[in-house]
Amino acid sequence: MTIVLNLRIDSKTGLPFVYAYNHPTLANFSMIPYVPSEYEVPENHRPYLQQHGHHFHFYIVSFAKRTSIDVEEFLNEYPKWQDVVASMGDIEYGWTEEDHDGFKSALLWLSSKQVFQVEWSY
């Protein structure tokens, strides 16, 4: 499972841009230049940017045959820890409630930027 940055390219300038969301002086969906430092993921969230493990099946099962989704949509279906544990059964995945909560915290930060997606393969 990987977190990716989804940028658009301005057809007039050829430069990447993002849409303004909840900007103090711009209307929503105004095009603003992409400034990399504004999207630098905090160090405490970086361990969750690229992950491996069979336990992630329990996080993506509700997305049917999709292999990517906006972080916001992913969060809408984020399972409760109790449901993940119940699905794991007796198998030890090395994934803890602390990992589960840390991953959700990272996703919440990523969703505030409106340009990140979650991708995975089956």
Side-chain angles (χ1 to χ4, degrees):
M1 182 173 291
T2 302
I3 304 297
V4 297
L5 177 65
N6 186 13
L7 293 175
R8 289 162 171 66
I9 306 297
D10 185 327
S11 61
K12 293 178 184 169
T13 66
L15 296 172
F17 73 91
V18 295
Y19 287 117
Y21 293 103
N22 301 319
H23 193 278
T25 59
L26 297 173
N28 279 347
F29 301 106
S30 295
M31 292 179 3
I32 55 177
Y34 167 68
V35 178
S37 61
E38 293 179 11
Y39 297 87
E40 182 178 354
V41 177
E43 193 169 337
N44 62 314
H45 296 320
R46 292 177 192 168
Y48 302 101
L49 296 179
Q50 191 165 23
Q51 305 180 74
H52 303 281
H54 294 292
H55 58 282
F56 287 111
H57 168 76
F58 307 121
Y59 292 81
I60 63 173
V61 69
S62 64
F63 301 118
K65 295 182 180 183
R66 297 175 75 173
T67 57
S68 68
I69 193 166
D70 289 337
V71 170
E72 297 82 14
E73 290 180 76
F74 192 85
L75 275 168
N76 288 338
E77 299 293 326
Y78 200 78
K80 294 180 179 161
W81 175 244
Q82 296 83 355
D83 296 335
V84 173
V85 169
S87 297
M88 287 181 181
D90 294 334
I91 300 172
E92 176 57 46
Y93 288 94
W95 182 252
T96 66
E97 185 172 7
E98 184 177 332
D99 296 323
H100 173 84
D101 293 343
F103 185 35
K104 185 172 185 179
S105 177
L107 292 169
L108 288 167
W109 184 89
L110 294 162
S111 73
S112 73
K113 300 298 183 177
Q114 303 284 327
V115 293
F116 290 98
Q117 291 187 317
V118 181
E119 290 185 348
W120 61 89
S121 61
Y122 282 99

